[in-house]
Amino acid sequence: MTDVVGDLLPYAVGVALSPVPLIAVFLLLGAPAGRAAGALFVLARVVTLAVVVVLAAALADLLPESRGPSLAGAVLRILLGAALMVWAVVQVVRPDGARADSDKPGWMASMGKASPAGAARIGVLLSAANLKELALGLGAGLTVASEDLAPGAVVGVAVAYAVLACLGTIVAVAAFWLAEDRVSRPLDRARVWLVRNSAVLVAIVLLVIGAVLAGGGVRDL
């Protein structure tokens, strides 16, 4: 089981380095109910990311020859990896790649007023409706499906993946709970930097994870 968690680490790191959830949690922590909003946002993300992996693994088990490496799974990894690498290039070359903090979109501007329940909904949406994270979750699910794991072990591995994927936001919320006055300014500076450099960060993550996925698929052919 620990070996499978290790195999999922690249996908979890890819999600953890995605700037959008970090920006979202920094903004939510500045809301009137920032502590509860941040905690429910992170909890919603952990649950949703774990569910995505479990569902992806269950669907992959329906493929022929799903025990051990399969041709269908290998081809899916290669296609998914290639798509992520193309997406990385698009992130860099499109003209709106850099964004000033004053130009942040409407969803970011509304974060500072979100209620705890609204923060939970945002956490679910950013995890289930984010194509980049869905692609990484699908890759993680395919990896889990290639192992002969019991259902309980699949759930445990999926939860471990989700916690690792949300580690950055978990640390931010924990730091805010423990030392709000000391971390508020550093978190705001980090948010500004992430907003300005989000396109480049996303491109790097997509390129690395795409290469890992495609390479794993080629190896399993």
Side-chain angles (χ1 to χ4, degrees):
M1 182 171 166
T2 55
D3 292 341
V4 181
V5 174
D7 291 338
L8 298 183
L9 193 57
Y11 307 111
V13 170
V15 176
L17 293 179
S18 179
V20 174
L22 289 170
I23 294 169
V25 80
F26 293 160
L27 291 169
L28 287 169
L29 290 174
R35 292 190 174 195
L40 286 176
F41 172 82
V42 171
L43 178 61
R45 272 184 58 74
V46 169
V47 172
T48 306
L49 290 174
V51 168
V52 167
V53 174
V54 170
L55 290 178
L59 291 174
D61 274 336
L62 300 177
L63 296 172
E65 302 174 13
S66 60
R67 298 293 181 186
S70 68
L71 177 61
V75 171
L76 280 174
R77 284 189 182 89
I78 293 171
L79 293 176
L80 192 56
L84 288 176
M85 287 188 283
V86 171
W87 203 339
V89 175
V90 172
Q91 288 286 324
V92 174
V93 300
R94 67 182 183 181
D96 61 341
R99 183 188 295 275
D101 187 53
S102 59
D103 296 331
K104 60 187 178 184
W107 70 267
M108 287 188 189
S110 65
M111 287 282 189
K113 303 175 183 177
S115 65
R121 287 194 296 270
I122 292 167
V124 172
L125 288 173
L126 283 183
S127 306
N130 184 322
L131 292 180
K132 293 184 286 292
E133 293 196 4
L134 281 177
L136 294 173
L138 177 58
L142 290 171
T143 300
V144 172
S146 69
E147 304 291 336
D148 188 12
L149 297 178
V154 171
V155 173
V157 167
V159 171
Y161 159 84
V163 170
L164 290 171
C166 295
L167 199 56
T169 53
I170 291 172
V171 169
V173 171
F176 190 82
W177 272 70
L178 294 173
E180 178 179 348
D181 294 336
R182 295 178 60 184
V183 302
S184 292
R185 253 183 210 180
L187 289 178
D188 192 59
R189 287 196 296 267
R191 176 190 59 79
V192 171
W193 186 86
L194 286 170
V195 170
R196 290 176 176 170
N197 298 279
S198 60
V200 174
L201 291 173
V202 169
I204 293 172
V205 170
L206 291 176
L207 186 62
V208 172
I209 302 302
V212 170
L213 268 172
V218 171
R219 181 193 61 205
D220 290 341
L221 283 177

